[in-house]
Each structure stands twice: as C-alpha cells, then as structure tokens.
Amino acid sequence: MARESRGCRRLLPPTTAFTDVTNDTRTSREEMPVPDSARGPGSTRSVVVIGGGIVGLCVALALQERDFAVMVFDRRDAIAPPSWGNAGRLAVEAVEPLSSLATLRSLPTSLFSRGGPVAFPPAAIASWLPFGLRLLAASTPRKFSHGTQALSALLAQAIPAWRRRLSTSDASDLLVEAGHYSIWEDAASCARGRAAWQRHSGAATPMEMPGSEMARLRGLLRAPIADALKFGGTASIADPGELMARLQAAFVRGGGSLQHRPLSVAQASRMGDRVVVAAGVESAGLLAPLGHAVPMIAERGYHLQQADPAWPNDIPPIYFEDRTIVVTRFRAALRMTSFVEFTTKDAPPDARKWARLRQHAKELGLPFDDRATQWLGARPTLPDYLPAIGRSSKQPGVFYAFGHQHLGLTLAAITGELLAAIVGDEPAAIDLHPFGMDRFG
C-alpha cells in the first residue's frame, strides 16, 4: 500500500498520521530480532508483518491475541492508504467479483472517455493489457460462480469480525451499522440495477426506500431521483483516520512494535520465526524473489473531501449508481469517491478525474467547494477480483494477505482472524483454498 508522496494527495490528519510508535527506541537499520518488548506474556513465537495498512494492522492484532510477538514494518510515512481514502463502507453486498461477463459487456459504456469510471491510460498499457487478458480468462461463468461463492463466505463474516476487532481495540463507537442507499436517476438503469441486487446481495438486505427518507433526499439533492433502494445489513466507519489511530494504539498497548522503513522478506525472515506479507500493491515485488508471480495491478481511485460540510450527519452512505460514485458522511467530513484507473502505482495523477468529481457534485447539489481536498490511491487488485490469503508454497514460514481490491476495509478484520489462525497452525474458519496464490500458476 505504500506510495510515493505527491503534493496533491490527501494526507491523514495530523492527529492520526502514522508515526513511529515502536516500543524499541533504537533507530539502527540493522536486522534486529523481534524485541522482548513486543512479546506478550508467555509468548515464545515471533512474527514480522510487512505492511501497516488496515489489513496488516488487523493481522498483527489477531496474531497478538494468539500470543505471538509481533513487529510491523511499513514504508509509508504520513501518506493515507487506500483503505483510508476510499468510501469508508463495509460493502458486504459486493459478493459478485468484477471479473464477470456482465462487467465485460458493460465496459464500452463504462469508459472514462464516455462519462464512466473506467480508465486505461495509454502509458500504462504494459500493465493493464496482460492484466486484462487474465481478467478475461477469470470471467467464465464457472470461475465467476466459484468466485462469488468464495467472496460470499468472506463477506458474510466481515461485519461480525469488525465488531470483535473494534470491541478489543476501544473503537466500537466507530462502527456505524446504518446501511446505505442506492440511487438511480434513470428509470431503465434502475430496473436493471434493482433486478441485480434482488438476485444477489449477500448478507445485505435491499428494501424499498421509506417515503419520508425519499422525500428528504429529494429535498437535499438537485438532480432528480427516479428510484432508490435502502440496504440493511451494511455498515460504515465513522472516521477512517481515527480507526487507523485506534488500531495502532491497541497494537502498541499489546506490546507491538511499529516501524516505518522498507523491509524485504529475506530480512524479515532473519528477524522473526514467521513472516506475513500484507503490503498492498507492494506485495507483488516482495514475493517475486520467492518465486511467486503475482499478476497484480494498481487500480486507482480518487476522492474529494469537504471538511465540516453543510450535510446532515445522519444520512447513510449513498451510491449513485448511474454515476458510479459513493458519497459518505463521516464525523467531520463529506467524501465523494469514484474511478477504476488501471495503471502503475507511481503514475502521475489525472486531474480530469477530480474535475469530473467536482462536476458530479455541482450537478447533484452536494456541498463541495474550493476548499475540498483531493486524494488518490492504488487498490491492490488481482485478475479474478479475489484477495490472496494463505501460506506460501515457495518458502516455509511465509504467509500473505493482500489483493483485496475495493474491499480492503470491508475484509480487513476477517482476513486478520483467518490468517492468524493458519500462522498459528490452527484451522481457518473459512476454506482459504480459493484465495491461495497457486491459483495463478
């Protein structure tokens, strides 16, 4: 998840920015073993986690609960990771992988050049062309069905896992279980969208929008609403920056060590008994020396964020289906997110995408003005749109958790629990075979 800093990218607020919160005060870059201060009572086993984003932190906390001594290394300074910068939703309804025939059929009308969210920058053709060919291969009906079953099993446990994680991290107040809205401005697309959600929405429950809530939305929005659904069973995080800060604090309270410097798998293996790679888009490069060919792409999203907006704080997240944007009210900000840009992690930003978001805001009557901040981040995405969670077949003692595409925040807590189980030589509560890296050959 680490990325190079660019001036236009949104940073975490100063109160929640990543800092060196290690319990070991040494600053030497030598390869130290996991220190005694990171070992819980009676702990004799040690793990080094490479990656300090939301997935890495959840893995580290779950390992601490199994009496592992844990160190977390992350390249990031104060740059906000994708799990912070996206919509802040726990999207348990998203059980169908985007590697599907339906996605391929809709692609021509979804292109950025035609007003849609999908972009294939010509300069990144060496990245997105081979990725696209693998996505085509993963989009057969049989593979799509298997992928839907596998993703559904993870998503069914996502919110219960977050309840457990937050309750042990002094952060239960950050979980908002208020569902979300899906809104259509076009009647024809509404009919198609309704049918799709009624067919398969996982643990979420699509319901008719209550008349009073529909009237309130129509009063808030400038654009006409053709129809809408209200979803129960989904959730959001009240403040993603505060979430990261609380998880870091819980990790340190448990004796964990968090350091901000790059680390290879070989270096980590000399420091701990076991190694977990949970570094987002950096994971492919970390695993390549072991012989893993990880067909990952940096799938970038963009957001605008308005501090202290003139927008009710009790409105749940809204998915504007015809525009493919999500608008989420956090405690102190309003955020609009969109775009699926297949590129490289360090490619320069495309300012047209922020301009498109501002145009959406104007047309919808949303309270974004010139003070709105801009951000972009690279989602770690694999061609079948399933995450990679498992044990390396190339090197003993190495495990991985990455590739969660749009669902990094949603699946972080359950991923932490599942991976910690197999690191501890316990059976995972969910079959992890569909998420193994060997599926790519």
Side-chain angles (χ1 to χ4, degrees), residues 413-432:
I414 186 60
T415 296
E417 293 181 357
L418 295 170
L419 196 72
I422 64 171
V423 172
D425 298 321
E426 303 169 16
I430 294 172
D431 179 19
L432 294 181

Side-chain angles (χ1 to χ4, degrees), residues 1 82 86 97-99 103 127-128 130-132 134-135 138 279-284 293-301 339-343 345 377-388 401-408 437 439-440:
M1 294 181 184
N86 287 324
L98 291 179
S99 53
T103 297
S127 295
W128 56 253
F131 178 88
R134 284 184 173 270
L135 188 149
V281 293
E282 303 291 343
S283 299
V294 182
M296 188 191 302
I297 199 165
E299 189 206 299
R300 296 204 306 191
F339 300 114
V340 179
E341 182 184 70
F342 295 99
T343 185
K345 65 182 185 296
R379 309 178 189 100
T381 300
L382 295 163
D384 57 6
Y385 274 79
L386 297 180
F402 60 88
H404 291 74
Q405 34 103 2
H406 299 247
L407 300 173
M437 278 302 304
R439 71 187 191 266
F440 295 115

Side-chain angles (χ1 to χ4, degrees), residues 73-263:
F73 286 80
D74 195 276
R75 287 182 56 186
R76 186 165 44 251
D77 296 316
I79 302 300
S83 49
W84 174 85
N86 287 324
R89 290 191 54 233
L90 305 185
V92 299
E93 80 282 1
V95 295
E96 294 187 341
L98 291 179
S99 53
S100 69
L101 296 179
T103 297
L104 297 176
R105 284 193 293 266
S106 68
L107 185 59
T109 58
S110 298
L111 294 173
F112 180 75
S113 60
R114 300 185 64 179
V118 181
F120 297 95
I125 188 171
S127 295
W128 56 253
L129 182 57
F131 178 88
L133 294 174
R134 284 184 173 270
L135 188 149
L136 283 171
S139 298
T140 65
R142 181 180 66 84
K143 291 183 178 180
F144 173 72
S145 176
H146 290 169
T148 299
Q149 292 175 21
L151 205 51
S152 296
L154 281 180
L155 288 166
Q157 297 301 317
I159 292 179
W162 267 117
R163 293 189 193 113
R164 294 188 290 270
R165 173 54 49 225
L166 296 176
S167 70
T168 59
S169 303
D170 190 28
S172 293
D173 61 299
L174 296 178
L175 181 62
V176 182
E177 298 192 60
H180 73 279
Y181 296 146
S182 276
I183 289 178
W184 290 268
E185 299 165 61
D186 177 78
S189 66
C190 174
R192 294 190 297 270
R194 275 178 162 269
W197 286 126
Q198 296 290 349
R199 182 180 69 249
H200 212 161
S201 54
T205 304
M207 303 172 286
E208 294 299 323
M209 178 78 80
S212 59
E213 295 178 44
M214 180 71 86
R216 187 186 188 196
L217 282 176
R218 284 180 166 144
L220 288 168
L221 297 172
R222 182 178 299 156
I225 301 175
D227 205 352
L229 286 174
K230 180 178 182 178
F231 283 76
T234 64
S236 60
I237 297 298
D239 185 331
E242 181 65 17
L243 173 65
M244 298 293 288
R246 300 262 193 105
L247 295 182
Q248 286 183 6
F251 177 63
V252 173
R253 283 197 305 272
S257 173
L258 175 58
Q259 300 188 24
H260 292 283
R261 63 180 176 90
L263 197 72

